[in-house]
Amino acid sequence: MKFFLDTANVEEIKRIVKLGLVDGVTTNPSLIAKEGRDFKQVVQEICTIVSGPVSAEVIGTKAEDMLREAEDIATWAPNVVIKLPMTEDGLYATHALSQRGIKTNVTLIFSVAQGLMAAKAGATFISPFVGRLDDIGTDGMELIRELRTVITNYNFPTEIIVASVRNIGHVEQAAIAGGHIATIPGSLLPSLWKHPLTDIGIEKFLSDWNKMQA
Ligand code: E4P
């Protein structure tokens, strides 16, 4: 399973890249706004730190605006991916970009039908939001299982980015369900390698070792 970092914070990305855990990065307008920096500058900087795909989202809601933005963003770096919303205009733009060999990530996917439409339009990636589905009392992970079945049934080249990941269970279940990628907030990452029994074990080994030295 690939890990993307769900952040636009350059320092956070630099720190985690050193652990060899980062296969790509996803941003969205909220994450970019949080940094209070120029959109293009941030995306270009991230693209130099990470060699994998880096998603940058369009703001326009009309296909022509999305395509205009996408054509510009696509020139920013060779590894940039155009993130587009799951709307009719977004599908049109996704299809047009895929015809031109430009990679896309269709975001805000909340149903199997939406994922299927995006895959058929030629999306490189689809981003189903598990956390936001859980928030409204549904099982977000069920969508990942179903979408994985659809992708496999029809051999779509589209990869599933499990998005809106909020906890360690989401990452574990996404891997079990066969999500190709999980996009993970930097703050959540340590919980993936930490375990209280590991800490207790280290403490015990060291104290036993130190007793022998005494
Ligand atoms: C990533 O592509 C999504 O924009 C992100 O995972 C959304 O996460 P949130 O639901 O926690 O805002």
Side-chain angles (χ1 to χ4, degrees), residues 41-198:
Q41 214 175 45
V42 177
V43 170
Q44 284 185 318
E45 202 174 334
I46 296 172
C47 286
T48 62
I49 303 166
V50 175
S51 54
V54 174
S55 290
E57 191 161 341
V58 298
I59 301 301
T61 53
K62 294 280 167 238
E64 64 206 56
D65 297 329
M66 292 180 191
L67 285 172
R68 204 174 16 252
E69 282 179 65
E71 274 156 20
D72 179 31
I73 294 171
T75 65
W76 293 356
N79 52 333
V80 80
V81 171
I82 312 300
K83 206 173 182 192
L84 301 138
M86 176 61 228
T87 59
E88 183 175 346
D89 287 77
L91 286 178
Y92 179 96
T94 299
H95 180 59
L97 293 169
S98 84
Q99 302 274 78
R100 294 178 215 167
I102 296 175
K103 289 187 176 167
T104 55
N105 171 3
V106 178
T107 190
L108 291 164
I109 292 206
F110 294 97
S111 72
V112 174
Q114 288 183 318
L116 177 58
M117 295 302 100
K120 282 187 70 65
T124 316
F125 303 104
I126 52 173
S127 291
F129 278 34
V130 290
R132 293 193 197 186
L133 278 169
D134 287 356
D135 289 346
I136 58 159
T138 56
D139 179 6
M141 206 49 67
E142 182 59 17
L143 177 60
I144 304 304
R145 287 187 279 274
E146 291 171 344
L147 281 171
R148 181 61 221 228
T149 302
V150 171
I151 296 285
T152 304
N153 281 352
Y154 299 101
N155 285 321
F156 283 114
T158 307
E159 290 189 281
I160 301 168
I161 302 178
V162 180
S164 191
V165 162
R166 304 270 171 80
N167 54 53
I168 182 171
H170 279 154
V171 180
E172 291 176 343
Q173 291 307 312
I176 292 164
H180 302 92
I181 300 147
T183 189
I184 306 172
S187 56
L188 179 64
L189 222 60
S191 65
L192 297 177
W193 64 70
K194 278 180 181 288
H195 196 287
L197 289 178
T198 305

